[in-house]
Amino acid sequence: MIEVTVRPMSREEFDRWQTDVVDAYAQEQVAAGNWTADEALGRSQEANAALLPQGMATPGMIFLLGVLADGTPIGRLWIGLAHPRGVAHCAYLYDIEVVAERRGQGLGRVLLAAGERVAQERGAHALELNVFGSNTPALSLYGSAGYRVMTQQMRKGLRTSAQPERITR
């Protein structure tokens, strides 16, 4: 197994990550059909700013970089020690990402486990996350790592028509 350690992000790493995470979240929201492409980047920036009003210094937020033994970065984690919906003793994983060229090598599982250890060391009894339904690799990772579905949102597109349909019984 490849050894991965985590360390706090530097200011420069945090700044680069901020750009990446805002862009990725905007793209996910568009792909999920939640936001239009025109509004997505602005809405993503607003959402991120609301969660991190003091940026890297926002209390209760942890920003970690996963690195190999030689110092090569392989991924990033953003963990909030206070759950966004107030769940007691439950931290929240806002973001986990393995660099594209290292995906599929089991590093996501190692990075996730490292984040879990950090959250537990900081007093969390559980770690919760949200994953988009179309992210099959992430769903597989979380399920195999022991995460279970707590809530689930579902959506069905409904056709629009100028004429209402007749409903018969």
Side-chain angles (χ1 to χ4, degrees):
M1 178 180 262
I2 300 173
E3 183 179 332
V4 174
T5 59
V6 291
R7 63 166 175 76
M9 286 184 197
S10 69
R11 166 59 67 190
E12 295 77 24
E13 291 162 343
F14 176 83
D15 291 342
R16 279 192 305 274
W17 168 78
Q18 279 286 274
T19 300
D20 294 345
V21 78
V22 165
D23 289 344
Y25 187 63
Q27 291 171 19
E28 288 286 352
Q29 292 291 350
V30 171
N34 297 330
W35 298 343
T36 67
D38 292 338
E39 69 182 337
L41 187 58
R43 289 186 71 171
S44 183
Q45 290 167 334
E46 289 171 8
N48 198 63
L51 289 169
L52 301 173
Q54 297 174 29
M56 190 175 191
T58 302
M61 296 295 185
I62 302 169
F63 308 98
L64 301 170
L65 189 72
V67 295
L68 298 176
D70 67 2
T72 303
I74 58 89
R76 304 175 283 206
L77 290 159
W78 170 17
I79 299 170
L81 294 175
H83 192 282
R85 291 184 310 280
V87 179
H89 306 292
C90 185
Y92 195 82
L93 181 64
Y94 285 97
D95 184 52
I96 181 172
E97 181 183 7
V98 173
V99 296
E101 60 272 11
R102 299 305 300 254
R103 291 181 187 152
Q105 300 175 16
L107 295 172
R109 179 175 312 285
V110 176
L111 191 58
L112 181 60
E116 292 168 351
R117 281 190 303 276
V118 169
Q120 186 176 24
E121 289 166 1
R122 300 281 184 96
H125 298 180
L127 183 62
E128 189 174 290
L129 56 86
N130 181 65
V131 61
F132 285 95
S134 63
N135 192 342
T136 306
L139 289 165
S140 176
L141 168 65
Y142 302 137
S144 68
Y147 287 76
R148 61 187 175 90
V149 175
M150 301 302 295
T151 63
Q152 190 165 349
Q153 293 178 311
M154 300 176 84
R155 179 183 302 158
K156 176 182 177 183
L158 304 176
R159 68 184 183 135
T160 58
S161 165
Q163 299 286 331
E165 285 189 37
R166 289 189 67 176
I167 298 174
T168 58
R169 292 183 192 201

Coordinates of all heavy atoms in Angstrom, one line a residue, residues 2-10 13 62-69 71-79 93 95-98 107-122:
I2 N 0.5 2.2 -0.7 CA 1.2 3.5 -0.8 C 1.0 4.3 0.5 O -0.2 4.4 0.9 CB 0.7 4.3 -2.0 CG1 1.0 3.5 -3.3 CG2 1.4 5.7 -2.1 CD1 0.4 4.2 -4.5
E3 N 2.0 4.8 1.0 CA 1.9 5.6 2.3 C 1.6 7.1 1.9 O 2.3 7.7 1.1 CB 3.2 5.6 3.1 CG 3.1 6.3 4.4 CD 4.4 6.2 5.2 OE1 5.1 5.2 5.0 OE2 4.7 7.2 5.9
V4 N 0.6 7.6 2.5 CA 0.2 9.0 2.3 C 0.0 9.6 3.7 O -0.5 9.0 4.6 CB -1.2 9.1 1.6 CG1 -1.7 10.5 1.5 CG2 -1.1 8.5 0.2
T5 N 0.6 10.8 3.8 CA 0.4 11.6 5.1 C -0.4 12.9 4.7 O -0.4 13.2 3.5 CB 1.7 12.0 5.7 OG1 2.5 12.7 4.8 CG2 2.5 10.7 6.2
V6 N -1.0 13.5 5.7 CA -1.7 14.8 5.4 C -1.0 15.8 6.3 O -0.5 15.6 7.4 CB -3.2 14.7 5.7 CG1 -3.9 13.8 4.7 CG2 -3.5 14.3 7.1
R7 N -1.0 17.0 5.7 CA -0.5 18.2 6.4 C -1.4 19.4 6.1 O -2.1 19.4 5.1 CB 1.0 18.5 6.0 CG 1.2 18.8 4.5 CD 2.6 19.4 4.3 NE 2.8 19.6 2.9 CZ 2.3 20.7 2.2 NH1 1.5 21.5 2.7 NH2 2.7 20.8 0.9
P8 N -1.3 20.4 6.9 CA -2.1 21.6 6.6 C -1.7 22.2 5.3 O -0.5 22.2 4.9 CB -1.8 22.6 7.8 CG -1.4 21.7 8.9 CD -0.7 20.5 8.2
M9 N -2.6 22.8 4.5 CA -2.3 23.5 3.3 C -1.5 24.8 3.6 O -1.8 25.4 4.7 CB -3.5 23.9 2.5 CG -4.3 22.8 1.9 SD -5.7 23.5 0.9 CE -6.6 22.0 0.6
S10 N -0.6 25.1 2.8 CA 0.0 26.4 2.9 C -0.9 27.5 2.3 O -1.9 27.1 1.7 CB 1.3 26.5 2.1 OG 1.0 26.4 0.7
E13 N -1.2 27.0 -1.4 CA -1.9 25.8 -1.8 C -3.4 26.1 -1.6 O -4.2 25.7 -2.4 CB -1.5 24.6 -0.9 CG -0.1 24.2 -1.3 CD 0.6 23.3 -0.3 OE1 0.1 23.3 0.9 OE2 1.6 22.6 -0.6
I62 N -10.8 22.8 8.5 CA -9.4 22.1 8.3 C -9.2 21.9 6.8 O -10.0 21.4 6.1 CB -9.4 20.7 9.0 CG1 -9.8 20.9 10.5 CG2 -8.1 20.1 8.8 CD1 -10.0 19.6 11.2
F63 N -8.0 22.4 6.4 CA -7.6 22.2 5.0 C -6.3 21.5 4.9 O -5.3 21.9 5.4 CB -7.5 23.6 4.4 CG -8.7 24.5 4.6 CD1 -8.7 25.4 5.6 CD2 -9.8 24.4 3.8 CE1 -9.8 26.2 5.8 CE2 -10.9 25.2 4.0 CZ -10.9 26.1 5.0
L64 N -6.4 20.3 4.3 CA -5.3 19.4 4.3 C -4.8 19.0 2.9 O -5.6 18.9 2.0 CB -5.6 18.1 5.1 CG -6.1 18.2 6.5 CD1 -6.7 16.9 7.0 CD2 -5.0 18.7 7.4
L65 N -3.5 18.8 2.8 CA -2.9 18.3 1.6 C -2.4 16.9 1.8 O -1.7 16.7 2.8 CB -1.8 19.2 1.2 CG -1.2 19.0 -0.2 CD1 -2.2 19.4 -1.3 CD2 0.1 19.7 -0.4
G66 N -2.8 16.0 1.0 CA -2.3 14.6 1.1 C -1.0 14.5 0.3 O -1.0 15.0 -0.9
V67 N 0.1 14.0 0.9 CA 1.4 13.9 0.2 C 2.0 12.5 0.3 O 1.7 11.8 1.3 CB 2.4 15.0 0.7 CG1 1.9 16.4 0.4 CG2 2.6 14.8 2.2
L68 N 2.8 12.1 -0.7 CA 3.5 10.9 -0.6 C 4.8 11.1 0.2 O 5.1 12.3 0.6 CB 3.9 10.5 -2.0 CG 2.8 10.2 -3.0 CD1 3.3 9.9 -4.4 CD2 1.9 9.0 -2.5
A69 N 5.5 10.1 0.5 CA 6.7 10.1 1.3 C 7.7 11.1 0.8 O 8.4 11.8 1.5 CB 7.3 8.8 1.5
G71 N 7.0 13.9 -0.7 CA 6.4 15.2 -0.7 C 5.5 15.5 -1.8 O 4.9 16.6 -1.9
T72 N 5.4 14.6 -2.8 CA 4.5 14.8 -3.9 C 3.0 14.9 -3.5 O 2.5 14.0 -2.9 CB 4.7 13.7 -5.0 OG1 6.0 13.6 -5.3 CG2 3.8 13.9 -6.2
P73 N 2.4 16.0 -3.8 CA 0.9 16.1 -3.5 C 0.1 15.2 -4.3 O 0.3 15.0 -5.5 CB 0.6 17.6 -3.8 CG 1.9 18.3 -4.0 CD 2.9 17.2 -4.4
I74 N -0.9 14.5 -3.6 CA -1.8 13.6 -4.3 C -3.2 13.9 -4.1 O -4.1 13.3 -4.8 CB -1.5 12.1 -3.9 CG1 -1.7 11.9 -2.4 CG2 -0.1 11.7 -4.4 CD1 -3.0 11.5 -2.0
G75 N -3.5 14.9 -3.2 CA -4.9 15.2 -3.0 C -5.1 16.2 -1.9 O -4.2 16.6 -1.2
R76 N -6.4 16.6 -1.8 CA -6.8 17.6 -0.8 C -8.0 17.3 -0.1 O -8.9 16.6 -0.6 CB -7.0 19.0 -1.6 CG -5.8 19.4 -2.4 CD -6.0 20.6 -3.2 NE -6.8 20.4 -4.4 CZ -6.7 21.1 -5.4 NH1 -6.0 22.2 -5.5 NH2 -7.5 20.9 -6.5
L77 N -8.2 17.8 1.1 CA -9.4 17.6 1.9 C -9.8 18.9 2.6 O -8.9 19.7 3.0 CB -9.0 16.6 3.1 CG -8.8 15.2 2.8 CD1 -8.0 14.5 3.9 CD2 -10.1 14.5 2.6
W78 N -11.1 19.1 2.7 CA -11.7 20.2 3.4 C -12.7 19.6 4.4 O -13.7 19.0 4.0 CB -12.3 21.2 2.5 CG -13.1 22.3 3.1 CD1 -13.1 22.7 4.4 CD2 -14.1 23.1 2.4 NE1 -14.0 23.7 4.6 CE2 -14.6 24.0 3.4 CE3 -14.5 23.2 1.1 CZ2 -15.6 24.9 3.1 CZ3 -15.5 24.1 0.8 CH2 -16.0 25.0 1.8
I79 N -12.4 19.8 5.7 CA -13.3 19.2 6.7 C -13.8 20.3 7.6 O -12.9 21.1 8.1 CB -12.6 18.1 7.6 CG1 -12.1 17.0 6.7 CG2 -13.4 17.6 8.7 CD1 -11.2 16.0 7.3
L93 N -17.3 16.5 5.7 CA -16.3 16.5 4.7 C -16.9 17.3 3.5 O -17.8 16.8 2.7 CB -16.0 15.1 4.2 CG -15.0 14.9 3.1 CD1 -13.6 15.4 3.6 CD2 -14.9 13.5 2.7
D95 N -15.0 18.6 0.9 CA -14.3 18.3 -0.3 C -13.2 17.3 -0.1 O -12.5 17.4 0.9 CB -13.7 19.6 -0.9 CG -13.0 19.4 -2.2 OD1 -13.7 18.9 -3.1 OD2 -11.9 19.8 -2.4
I96 N -13.1 16.4 -1.0 CA -11.9 15.5 -1.1 C -11.7 15.3 -2.6 O -12.6 15.1 -3.4 CB -12.2 14.1 -0.4 CG1 -11.0 13.2 -0.5 CG2 -13.5 13.4 -0.9 CD1 -11.1 11.9 0.4
E97 N -10.4 15.4 -2.9 CA -10.0 15.2 -4.3 C -8.7 14.6 -4.4 O -7.7 15.1 -3.8 CB -10.1 16.6 -5.0 CG -9.7 16.5 -6.5 CD -9.7 17.8 -7.1 OE1 -9.8 18.9 -6.5 OE2 -9.6 17.8 -8.4
V98 N -8.5 13.6 -5.2 CA -7.2 13.1 -5.6 C -6.9 13.7 -7.0 O -7.7 13.8 -7.8 CB -7.3 11.5 -5.7 CG1 -6.0 10.9 -6.3 CG2 -7.6 10.9 -4.3
L107 N -5.7 5.8 -3.7 CA -5.3 6.9 -2.9 C -6.5 7.6 -2.3 O -6.4 8.2 -1.2 CB -4.5 7.9 -3.7 CG -3.1 7.3 -4.2 CD1 -2.4 8.2 -5.2 CD2 -2.2 7.0 -3.0
G108 N -7.7 7.6 -2.9 CA -8.9 8.2 -2.4 C -9.2 7.6 -1.0 O -9.5 8.3 -0.1
R109 N -9.1 6.3 -0.9 CA -9.4 5.5 0.3 C -8.4 5.9 1.4 O -8.8 6.2 2.5 CB -9.4 4.0 0.0 CG -9.6 3.2 1.3 CD -9.7 1.7 1.0 NE -10.5 1.4 -0.2 CZ -11.9 1.4 -0.2 NH1 -12.5 1.7 1.0 NH2 -12.6 1.1 -1.2
V110 N -7.1 6.0 1.0 CA -6.1 6.4 2.0 C -6.3 7.8 2.5 O -6.2 8.1 3.6 CB -4.7 6.1 1.4 CG1 -3.6 6.6 2.3 CG2 -4.5 4.7 1.0
L111 N -6.6 8.7 1.5 CA -6.8 10.1 1.9 C -8.0 10.3 2.8 O -8.0 11.0 3.7 CB -7.0 10.9 0.6 CG -6.9 12.4 0.7 CD1 -5.6 12.9 1.3 CD2 -7.1 13.0 -0.7
L112 N -9.1 9.5 2.4 CA -10.3 9.6 3.2 C -10.0 9.1 4.7 O -10.5 9.7 5.6 CB -11.4 8.7 2.6 CG -12.8 8.7 3.3 CD1 -13.4 10.0 3.4 CD2 -13.7 7.7 2.5
A113 N -9.3 8.0 4.8 CA -9.0 7.5 6.1 C -8.2 8.5 6.9 O -8.4 8.6 8.1 CB -8.2 6.1 6.0
A114 N -7.2 9.2 6.3 CA -6.4 10.2 6.9 C -7.3 11.3 7.4 O -7.2 11.8 8.6 CB -5.3 10.7 6.0
G115 N -8.3 11.7 6.6 CA -9.2 12.8 7.0 C -10.1 12.3 8.2 O -10.3 13.1 9.1
E116 N -10.5 11.1 8.2 CA -11.3 10.6 9.3 C -10.5 10.6 10.6 O -11.0 11.0 11.7 CB -11.7 9.1 9.0 CG -12.7 9.0 7.9 CD -12.9 7.6 7.4 OE1 -12.2 6.7 7.8 OE2 -13.8 7.4 6.6
R117 N -9.2 10.2 10.5 CA -8.4 10.3 11.7 C -8.2 11.7 12.3 O -8.3 11.9 13.5 CB -7.0 9.7 11.4 CG -6.9 8.2 11.4 CD -5.5 7.6 11.4 NE -4.7 8.1 10.2 CZ -4.8 7.6 9.0 NH1 -5.5 6.5 8.8 NH2 -4.0 8.1 8.1
V118 N -8.0 12.6 11.4 CA -7.9 14.0 11.8 C -9.2 14.5 12.5 O -9.1 15.1 13.5 CB -7.5 15.0 10.6 CG1 -7.6 16.4 11.0 CG2 -6.1 14.6 10.2
A119 N -10.3 14.2 11.9 CA -11.6 14.6 12.4 C -11.8 14.0 13.8 O -12.2 14.6 14.8 CB -12.8 14.3 11.5
Q120 N -11.5 12.7 13.9 CA -11.6 12.0 15.2 C -10.7 12.6 16.3 O -11.0 12.8 17.4 CB -11.3 10.5 15.0 CG -11.6 9.7 16.3 CD -11.4 8.2 16.1 OE1 -10.7 7.8 15.2 NE2 -12.1 7.4 16.9
E121 N -9.4 12.9 15.9 CA -8.5 13.5 16.8 C -9.0 14.9 17.3 O -8.6 15.3 18.4 CB -7.1 13.7 16.1 CG -6.4 12.4 15.9 CD -5.2 12.5 14.9 OE1 -4.9 13.7 14.4 OE2 -4.6 11.5 14.7
R122 N -9.8 15.6 16.5 CA -10.4 16.9 16.9 C -11.7 16.8 17.6 O -12.4 17.7 17.8 CB -10.5 17.7 15.6 CG -9.2 18.0 14.9 CD -8.4 19.1 15.5 NE -7.2 19.4 14.7 CZ -7.2 20.4 13.9 NH1 -8.2 21.2 13.7 NH2 -6.0 20.6 13.2

